[in-house]
Amino acid sequence: MRPDGSPALAPGQSLRSRRDILKIAAAAAVAPALAGGVRALAPQGKLYDWRLEVMGASSELALWHHDPVAANRAIDQVRSEVARLDGVFSLYRSDSEISRLNHDGFLDNPSCEMRDLLNAGQQFSELSGGAFDISVQPLWELYASHFWQGVNTSADIEAAAQRVAERLVDYRLIDIGKHRIQLKCPGMGVTLNSIGQGFVADRIADMLSGQGFSHVYADLGEIRLIGDHPEGRPWRIGLRDPSDQSTFGRMLDLENIGLAVTGGYATPFEETRRHNHIFDPRTGLSADKMAAIAVTAPSAMIANGIATSIYVAGREHAAKILGAYPGAKAVITTAAGEWLGSRADVGFAAM
């Protein structure tokens, strides 16, 4: 359910709705709570809800404010900033910075946001031992063309993917300069979906916080929360069960934090889900060491990068990766359907 009580989109409706595996739960809905006779418990004001697309993901913003003029002015500012950042990171726009970099193999005068995200991607690559790699875009194009477009079909798609990974996937071949970004091998391509949506959520939430908004739910592909729920309790977030996406497998009570969920089941290329959109850059194959992972961290971008890194590297590397970011925690769903919680200081324990 969304903050206004309306139903969330069905998971897997389309490629662009793959992040709908994560939605605010019904228990956190403001409208039903107020209708239930507890209006006096909530601060004076109104929940403003706005839906949009960011980097191809269905997204949502909910903020609480007593002044409708200020709220609508802030939403207009959010709309402008999202459009600007979409022009940097979106692979769905041919004129975006990332699309021009992939097309030309270089990008002159990149924005500071583009440089920052590429540098962050390389840091996650180093931390994860190469399990995280923003240069997997050629693998996406190979699998999409094979399974969805009926071109570049190969008798052995996995062998073809391994060849692409060996030749075109290597974060160390991205030269990030102040005035030019260069892809050192022809045919390379980058994607920032694994951290870019979290970055946008952070930017919008921080912008609203700076304007005095103290209750914000920003789902811009990943989630960033400012403050607590307007009723004075944590936001309750539902994690969908990977084996039955019509149900919530676990609820998390959160505030002032970033949240990201990664799961290959969200965007499979074919019915068996063996081939999905989360790739191991070292082999070219789809990662399959767990069913899903949810990560909370001080920022949505950090949570986003940690989730992808652990999903590919495996839970045996989780403590090291989480330990690099104080306060980060993970909830892992194993391939067998077991739910595990983790913190860097205590390892894994059933929750």
Side-chain angles (χ1 to χ4, degrees), residues 11 21 239-250 265 273 291 333 337 339:
I21 60 177
L239 304 180
R240 296 199 186 276
D241 188 336
S243 63
D244 182 2
Q245 296 177 52
S246 66
T247 65
F248 291 110
R250 183 170 290 278
Y265 67 92
R273 300 184 179 180
T333 312
W339 292 76

Side-chain angles (χ1 to χ4, degrees), residues 16-307:
R16 295 191 173 196
S17 65
R18 66 185 179 87
R19 294 292 182 183
D20 292 327
I21 60 177
L22 177 70
K23 279 294 174 188
I24 191 164
V30 172
L34 296 182
V38 294
R39 185 178 302 275
L41 298 178
Q44 293 298 312
K46 180 180 177 181
L47 188 73
Y48 295 85
D49 192 16
W50 178 51
R51 299 180 184 96
L52 66 159
E53 275 196 0
V54 179
M55 297 171 63
S58 300
S59 304
E60 183 172 4
L61 175 69
L63 52 90
W64 189 272
H65 205 271
H66 66 278
D67 183 353
V69 174
N72 286 314
R73 181 171 60 244
I75 288 174
D76 286 341
Q77 293 170 348
V78 167
R79 185 180 290 110
S80 296
E81 181 66 357
V82 166
R84 187 183 73 83
L85 294 175
D86 212 47
V88 178
F89 303 130
S90 178
L91 290 166
Y92 292 97
R93 291 181 50 172
S94 61
D95 62 341
S96 69
E97 289 190 24
I98 195 169
S99 291
R100 288 186 283 124
L101 171 62
N102 289 344
H103 180 270
D104 299 333
F106 67 91
L107 177 67
D108 287 330
N109 301 313
S111 64
C112 60
E113 290 90 354
M114 186 69 171
R115 296 196 309 272
D116 287 348
L117 261 291
L118 291 174
N119 280 313
Q122 292 192 332
Q123 291 170 8
F124 279 114
S125 295
E126 294 290 340
L127 176 64
S128 65
F132 181 102
D133 197 318
I134 59 174
S135 67
V136 295
Q137 183 63 14
L139 290 171
W140 168 269
E141 294 171 353
L142 173 70
Y143 280 93
S145 63
H146 177 87
F147 286 106
W148 293 345
Q149 300 166 11
V151 297
N152 292 331
T153 56
S154 169
D156 189 342
I157 183 60
E158 294 186 352
Q162 288 174 332
R163 291 192 294 270
V164 168
E166 291 171 358
R167 186 169 58 90
L168 297 177
V169 178
D170 190 340
Y171 68 93
R172 294 165 295 188
L173 298 180
I174 305 171
D175 183 22
I176 308 168
K178 182 176 181 180
H179 301 293
R180 170 174 279 207
I181 298 168
Q182 182 85 44
L183 305 180
K184 294 184 178 180
C185 181
M188 287 185 68
V190 299
T191 172
L192 291 168
N193 284 355
S194 53
I195 48 175
Q197 290 164 333
F199 176 89
V200 176
D202 289 332
R203 174 64 63 85
I204 296 308
D206 290 341
M207 184 177 77
L208 291 170
S209 178
Q211 295 181 17
F213 290 87
S214 55
H215 306 283
V216 176
Y217 168 88
D219 177 0
L220 283 300
E222 306 298 352
I223 288 179
R224 174 74 182 278
L225 303 172
I226 297 296
D228 59 3
H229 190 276
E231 292 177 353
R233 54 181 169 79
W235 298 91
R236 171 150 286 195
I237 308 295
L239 304 180
R240 296 199 186 276
D241 188 336
S243 63
D244 182 2
Q245 296 177 52
S246 66
T247 65
F248 291 110
R250 183 170 290 278
M251 297 291 180
L252 303 178
D253 289 337
L254 303 172
E255 54 187 84
N256 271 329
I257 205 162
L259 171 65
V261 171
T262 293
Y265 67 92
T267 308
F269 287 107
E270 37 76 33
E271 292 182 356
T272 71
R273 300 184 179 180
R274 175 181 175 183
H275 304 100
N276 63 71
H277 70 290
I278 305 176
F279 307 110
D280 187 331
R282 301 161 297 187
T283 65
L285 308 182
S286 296
D288 61 358
K289 294 183 178 180
M290 61 189 68
I293 179 171
V295 172
T296 59
S299 82
M301 189 274 284
I302 291 173
N304 207 175
I306 291 175

